[in-house]
Amino acid sequence: MEKLHKDYIKYYETRVNKYKGNPSYKNSYETEKALYDAIASCKKLEDFKDKVEKGNLAVNNGVALVKDREKIQNDHYNKLKEFIRAGASKEILETLGKKEIKTAMELANLCTEIEQKHHLNITLDELGIAQFLFDYFILENIEAWQNAEVVDEFKKEINEE
């Protein structure tokens, strides 16, 4: 076995160990393990490409990482009762549970489309807070202007403001 092949085996072993024993990354561990097993079972490095393509291992690995990431995010937002912010991760998880992803581009497009759709909901949710803060700032200014000690010639101007 050539040195480059051995180096790749070590590399994929390191990737597997990154997720080993971490319950938050159960899906990623399984797909990283599949990649490691694939390269470790090759007699020569060139065979690895065929195994990855045949089993769609790289794309499955990407899907697994997205599932794990979105599950963590969904759980976090639900714990905080931020259900609108949890919407994108919930929909991504539901969609990935029903749909087979064949390419990395398909996965990226799916996630981007869902996130963009939900960003509008987040923006609308935040508008209430932003409007309140803006109104509060105006009320603070009015109070400061009404109570300001200024010469008489500027009182009329301040009251108009």
Side-chain angles (χ1 to χ4, degrees):
M1 188 178 295
E2 61 188 59
K3 181 182 177 341
L4 183 61
H5 189 178
K6 288 178 185 176
D7 289 345
Y8 268 107
I9 291 172
K10 284 182 184 179
Y11 167 72
Y12 281 97
E13 182 180 23
T14 301
R15 285 176 50 160
V16 169
N17 290 332
K18 176 180 177 181
Y19 300 112
K20 190 175 186 176
N22 187 337
S24 295
Y25 287 93
K26 181 181 71 77
N27 296 308
S28 296
Y29 172 75
E30 291 170 6
T31 58
E32 289 289 357
K33 180 95 170 71
L35 282 164
Y36 169 74
D37 290 344
I39 194 155
S41 67
C42 292
K43 298 242 186 270
K44 53 186 179 164
L45 188 56
E46 294 79 24
D47 297 337
F48 181 54
K49 178 182 180 234
D50 295 333
K51 288 185 179 190
V52 169
E53 289 175 356
K54 184 177 179 184
N56 206 23
L57 299 180
V59 174
N60 291 344
N61 187 249
V63 170
L65 188 57
V66 169
K67 283 181 178 179
D68 291 339
R69 181 192 71 199
E70 296 302 330
K71 170 96 172 72
I72 291 166
Q73 187 165 310
N74 189 268
D75 290 349
H76 174 72
Y77 284 136
N78 282 315
K79 182 179 174 183
L80 296 174
K81 295 183 173 47
E82 287 280 356
F83 305 117
I84 291 174
R85 287 189 176 273
S89 55
K90 179 182 176 191
E91 186 175 342
I92 289 169
L93 287 168
E94 288 171 353
T95 304
L96 290 177
K98 298 180 214 171
K99 183 175 182 169
E100 182 184 346
I101 303 296
K102 295 183 174 130
T103 67
M105 187 58 73
E106 185 182 352
L107 177 62
N109 287 338
L110 174 92
C111 292
T112 301
E113 288 170 11
I114 292 171
E115 287 170 353
Q116 283 179 339
K117 180 174 74 173
H118 285 273
H119 281 310
L120 178 60
N121 294 337
I122 293 168
T123 300
L124 292 172
D125 186 48
E126 293 292 321
L127 273 177
I129 295 169
Q131 186 61 48
F132 170 77
L133 292 173
F134 182 71
D135 291 347
Y136 184 76
F137 176 72
I138 290 172
L139 290 172
E140 250 187 358
N141 284 342
I142 290 171
E143 183 181 351
W145 295 336
Q146 286 176 340
N147 295 321
E149 293 182 22
V150 294
V151 294
D152 289 336
E153 67 181 278
F154 293 116
K155 281 188 181 183
K156 182 180 179 216
E157 187 179 330
I158 286 175
N159 286 331
E160 287 175 5
E161 286 288 325

